[in-house]
Amino acid sequence: MSLSHSRPPGRAPLVLFPALLGLLFCLFSVGGIEPLCLTAGCHIYAGYSLFGLPFYALGAAAFGLIFLLALGSFRSSGARRLLFWVLLAGLLIDTGFLIWQVLFWSCLSCLLVATLFGLAAAGAIPGASPAGRRLLVTFLGLWLVAYVPVVVATAKEILLPPWALVGPADAGIRVYFSPTCPACSETVGKILADPVVAKLTAFYPIAKDEEDGRRLAALLAQGEVGLTELPELFNTARPETGAPSWGLRVQLARNKMALARMGVATIPLVLSSDVIEVSPPSTETGNIPPWLHPDAAELAPGPGCGVEQPEAACQ
């Protein structure tokens, strides 16, 4: 019994259109035009190749072959059979690459290519024989198991990036901290004590409890927050303030999500693309931040605080 199309597929456009779109997108991407390169994985996978050919070139060849076979399937049973097996093989290969993205970096451009391939394979189901439909559905089911986690990871990276309270979006140094974490106050204080390093740093607040949220809400209520206002977060004598808004809670949740993606559960966390050299604070009277001990020598003292623990659990 044949597993491929048992008759000329009247629904061939269901295969043709995704294949044509995939071919065009891959050709544009081979030429360096990537309009949907919004995730870190896009830049990384752009340099991947197999047998000396970029992945997008291989994708263009695969989509081109599928498009030609779908056209030929109107008249040729051989083309219909070959299209069926090419789609099955492609689903298997694409499932492997989706699993790779689950384990490493997600890629929006790659996800679009996978979506178009999945649509092309699904479009072949109506014209296949009963046995062929079962195989296609099985392979598509396995493909979906890997596809859905990549969609979720990509959506989180694009729609829920971490939120910096202070600092440039392209900062070379990123600091995750909590206003009620003693180790965080010392780390932030040392960075702020060096104006050169401070200007290169973005500060991402973490609310491990309600007090953190209230301090951040009170500071934001005063207006624009800059490096000079940041130390106010560590003032233990702050007056009682209201609860943070839902908008602020969402922004703070995004920062916790970023830590979770990195597998980090304690703060402070200092991320840098280079070695940080912080100048020691001056010992002259008035030049030492009130929350920074003058004898502290390490950038990240102690184990810090858990991102979901109360202040009493900090070390």
Side-chain angles (χ1 to χ4, degrees), residues 104-151:
F104 295 97
W105 301 275
S106 59
C107 167
L108 181 60
S109 296
C110 308
L111 187 61
L112 176 60
V113 172
T115 301
L116 293 172
F117 195 92
L119 290 174
I125 293 175
S129 67
R133 282 197 293 270
R134 286 193 294 270
L135 264 181
L136 280 171
V137 169
T138 299
F139 276 58
L140 272 171
L142 295 174
W143 176 87
L144 277 172
V145 169
Y147 176 82
V148 172
V150 177
V151 172

Side-chain angles (χ1 to χ4, degrees), residues 7-183:
R7 56 191 177 277
R11 297 179 179 85
L14 296 177
V15 179
L16 283 170
F17 293 154
L20 179 59
L21 291 175
L23 172 61
L24 294 175
F25 183 81
C26 288
L27 288 175
F28 280 129
S29 299
V30 169
I33 303 173
E34 291 190 80
L36 296 178
C37 190
L38 303 177
T39 56
C42 297
H43 301 286
I44 295 171
Y45 300 135
Y48 278 32
S49 62
L50 183 64
F51 307 121
L53 294 174
F55 271 21
Y56 281 122
L58 296 172
F63 278 119
L65 176 61
I66 292 170
F67 182 77
L68 292 175
L69 289 174
L71 283 177
S73 66
F74 285 103
R75 296 185 177 182
S76 170
S77 60
R80 291 194 294 273
R81 286 192 294 271
L82 185 56
L83 173 62
F84 174 84
W85 292 110
V86 167
L87 289 172
L88 280 183
L91 280 173
L92 187 61
I93 294 171
D94 197 44
T95 299
F97 188 48
L98 287 170
I99 292 174
W100 181 273
Q101 292 182 68
V102 172
L103 298 175
F104 295 97
W105 301 275
S106 59
C107 167
L108 181 60
S109 296
C110 308
L111 187 61
L112 176 60
V113 172
T115 301
L116 293 172
F117 195 92
L119 290 174
I125 293 175
S129 67
R133 282 197 293 270
R134 286 193 294 270
L135 264 181
L136 280 171
V137 169
T138 299
F139 276 58
L140 272 171
L142 295 174
W143 176 87
L144 277 172
V145 169
Y147 176 82
V148 172
V150 177
V151 172
V152 174
T154 303
K156 286 171 61 178
E157 183 175 350
I158 296 173
L159 302 177
L160 299 170
W163 164 67
L165 175 65
V166 179
D170 58 347
I173 305 170
R174 291 169 290 161
V175 178
Y176 289 82
F177 71 98
S178 161
T180 58
C181 166

Side-chain angles (χ1 to χ4, degrees), residues 254-278:
R254 284 160 46 187
N255 290 349
K256 279 189 180 180
M257 291 178 194
L259 290 181
R261 289 196 292 269
M262 291 183 281
V264 176
T266 58
I267 44 176
L269 175 67
V270 180
L271 301 173
S272 175
S273 57
D274 201 353
V275 176
I276 303 175
E277 297 183 8
V278 179

